[in-house]
Amino acid sequence: MTTSSRRNALVVAALLCVAGCKETTSPAERFAVPIDAISVPNTAAPSDTVVVGFRYEASCGAREVTLRLRADSMVVAVFAVFPSGGLVCPALLAYAHRTVTLTPPERSQPFTIVFKQPTGADSVRTIRTPPALTGTP
């Protein structure tokens, strides 16, 4: 191997090493994903288990669903990790449906759920206690 060939090989190896390090050490680019098809009951008795449903786009790249739960509220957000340059994404959109079950000890009355949206206003739902039945002694 000639000196010129060795030098070219070292330059190429160094460039590949630097490119590889950049790919693995730089933080992934994240962005918020819209949430739709939200299903939350309007009312729930204090002893009821509540099922909350929602949908988000999940066509290409990784998705992360975050839930921040407190006694009186929950915040739901979905983030996408920007796909790597070598990933080919499908032309058609695919959606993921998720459900979250809230048991009575996990929530108070009333209970507010905020679905974080990347643009515009967040989608807010409140679960209230059903009104008392009339005509009961």
Side-chain angles (χ1 to χ4, degrees):
M1 192 182 250
T2 66
T3 304
S4 176
S5 300
R6 267 190 214 133
R7 185 179 42 212
N8 289 342
L10 285 173
V11 168
V12 169
L15 289 173
L16 288 175
C17 188
V18 168
C21 288
K22 182 180 182 298
E23 277 295 312
T24 59
T25 59
S26 63
E29 185 179 336
R30 292 173 33 147
F31 56 92
V33 175
I35 300 171
D36 65 0
I38 296 169
S39 170
V40 177
N42 292 327
T43 60
S47 60
D48 290 347
T49 295
V50 173
V51 178
V52 174
F54 57 95
R55 178 180 85 152
Y56 56 91
E57 182 274 323
S59 301
C60 189
R63 297 296 185 264
E64 175 185 314
V65 177
T66 63
L67 305 172
R68 288 186 303 181
L69 182 63
R70 289 189 281 194
D72 64 342
S73 65
M74 180 171 67
V75 177
V76 179
V78 179
F79 296 96
V81 176
F82 194 71
S84 65
L87 183 64
V88 177
C89 296
L92 298 174
L93 293 179
Y95 291 90
H97 295 270
R98 285 289 173 97
T99 57
V100 177
T101 304
L102 299 169
T103 60
E106 294 176 314
R107 62 182 174 78
S108 62
Q109 293 291 333
F111 189 80
T112 302
I113 304 174
V114 177
F115 296 89
K116 300 296 278 181
Q117 300 295 347
T119 59
D122 293 338
S123 299
V124 179
R125 306 291 193 277
T126 302
I127 303 170
R128 302 188 191 291
T129 305
L133 298 173
T134 57
T136 56

